Structures are given as structure tokens and as C-alpha cells.
Amino acid sequence: MTQAMTQDELKAAVGHAALAYVVPGSVVGVGTGSTVNCFIDALATMKAQIRGAISSSEKSSERLRAHGIEVLDSNGVDGIPVYIDGADEIDHAGHMIKGGGAALTREKIVADIAQRFVCIADASKLVSTLGTFPLPVEVIPMAVAQISRHLKALGGQPTLREGVVTDNGCRIVDVRGLKITDPLAMEQEINQWPGVVSVGIFARNKAGVCLLGTAQGVKTMTF
Ligand code: 5RP
């Protein structure tokens, strides 16, 4: 009898499968998190074929450099073909919650520079409605209390992520209890509050492809 793959093995499988989306000769957009760490390790095997990477966090930059992959300034490129990143939740339309690793704003920036967003995730991340995973919101420090009041009025229970300061010097408020039935509308609503740097709903710029690690192998979903 074959044994079911562990979550780490599923992450490694999708990290490896993402290599098929890397365009030789190009700069690759790289996300953040444990699934992306598997992708970075796989990318090292084809580092001679790429021009370098744009990274969404200091942690990913460190790992890329440790593999000898050059990390480029995002302001120095006109565009990149693909951005590869994980998700905390993804729905059947490619909308995501991201920011569990506190890198959501830089992730949104690199995703915006890229023509295509390829999400890599194990099957536990696939949901029918976003919102079971606490929604991260990156907030300028002086606005934390006011943004928390807005989030309560929206029906959520906000808590400050203790001890976490983002790569941008800001704070993360995690919101429980939201049922996100209209991801695009909620993303737009929260994004416009003064003091919000960005909200971890990726709907305006959602995934175009998801490589999902399942017991039956890597399943490709396109949106
Ligand atoms: C970081 C993120 C990650 O993509 C998300 O948290 C998933 O991480 P992991 O692959 O470790 O489950 O959004 O800000």
C-alpha cells in the first residue's frame, strides 16, 4: 500500500511543478512562505537559465541569495512574465487570502509587476468561501486602533499580531469571523481606509493558475 504524502511533500511537489512556469532568460517573481521555500530550492537547479529574481520579502531574498540567485531591484525591471507564490486560502475562482507570513504588501507589488500569478498550495488551502483563515491587514502603526474599529464594524474580530513588524515597518492586524462572499468588494472597501497599507485579499489581482498538491498528484487549476 502506498503512503499518503505529507503536507511537506505536497509543498515540495508543487514547488517543483512551478518550474514549468519559469520563462528561461527572464526575471522571476518570488513570493514568501514555506511552500515558496520549496520553489526557491527547486529554482536553484535552473539558476543558470534565469536573469535573477524579484523577491517579496527579506526572508525569500536571503534564501535566494544563499542559492546564488541574484535578487534584483523591482524598480529596475519593466515587467516580468511570472510571479510564483503560496496562499493561506484560495477559492475556486482564484481569489486568495495571503499575508500569513506578513509579506502581503510586497507580494501585491511583485504580483502587479508580473503578467501571470501562479499560486502553489497544498490541498488544505482550497476553500469554497474565503475567511476561515484570519484575514491579515497591514496597517501604519498610528492607525491600528482606528482600522480595528472599522474592521469590527464590518463584523470581524481584529487582533494585533503581537511582536510582528513588517519589512515596511508596519503592523499586521488579523481579522477573524469574516465570511468573504464578495472578495473584490471587500478588498476595495478595506484598501481605501486611511492607514491601511494593504489587505490580504487578492481578488483584483488573483491567481491565473493554481498548482494544487493533492493525494492524487499536482492538479492544475486555471482561472
Ligand atoms: C506570506 C504568504 C504566504 O504565501 C502564505 O502565508 C502561505 O504560506 P505557506 O506556504 O507557508 O503556507 O502570504 O505572506
Side-chain angles (χ1 to χ4, degrees):
M1 203 174 79
T2 52
Q3 274 203 322
M5 285 167 89
T6 64
Q7 196 179 23
D8 283 347
E9 287 167 340
L10 293 176
K11 288 179 185 189
V14 294
H16 191 267
L19 291 183
Y21 290 83
V22 172
V23 179
S26 75
V27 174
V28 185
V30 176
T32 297
S34 55
T35 315
V36 165
N37 284 345
C38 296
F39 168 65
I40 294 173
D41 296 348
L43 187 63
T45 65
M46 59 178 291
K47 66 180 175 191
Q49 293 169 60
I50 58 168
R51 278 170 43 217
I54 299 184
S55 164
S56 65
S57 66
E58 298 300 336
K59 275 192 185 149
S60 290
S61 297
E62 241 174 68
R63 198 174 187 100
L64 286 159
R65 288 192 187 106
H67 279 301
I69 299 170
E70 190 179 359
V71 178
L72 302 166
D73 180 349
S74 56
N75 289 308
V77 295
D78 281 339
I80 55 174
V82 70
Y83 175 60
I84 293 168
D85 197 359
D88 298 303
E89 285 184 347
I90 182 163
D91 72 11
H92 292 267
H95 305 124
M96 295 166 285
I97 285 185
K98 294 184 42 54
L104 61 160
T105 301
R106 293 188 185 200
E107 290 170 347
K108 278 201 175 182
I109 293 168
V110 187
D112 193 45
I113 295 170
Q115 282 162 23
R116 191 179 206 192
F117 191 136
V118 176
C119 175
I120 49 176
D122 65 85
S124 70
K125 307 291 182 66
L126 185 64
V127 298
S128 45
T129 307
L130 300 177
T132 302
F133 189 90
L135 176 67
V137 184
E138 182 169 2
V139 179
I140 288 175
M142 74 169 282
V144 165
Q146 176 65 358
I147 296 302
S148 298
R149 283 188 283 272
H150 281 307
L151 290 164
K152 270 187 201 151
L154 211 60
Q157 295 119 41
T159 49
L160 183 64
R161 202 181 294 180
E162 289 298 340
V164 172
V165 176
T166 69
D167 286 347
N168 312 307
C170 295
R171 305 302 306 272
I172 299 286
V173 175
D174 291 307
V175 196
R176 288 171 178 75
L178 291 175
K179 202 168 169 217
I180 307 173
T181 51
D182 187 343
L184 188 58
M186 192 175 284
E187 180 181 19
Q188 284 169 343
E189 165 76 5
I190 296 176
N191 262 337
Q192 66 175 346
W193 298 335
V196 169
V197 180
S198 60
V199 57
I201 301 173
F202 284 57
R204 192 191 66 81
N205 197 357
K206 62 180 190 167
V209 176
C210 177
L211 302 177
L212 195 72
T214 75
Q216 290 74 42
V218 177
K219 188 175 153 194
T220 304
M221 301 165 73
T222 48
F223 309 104

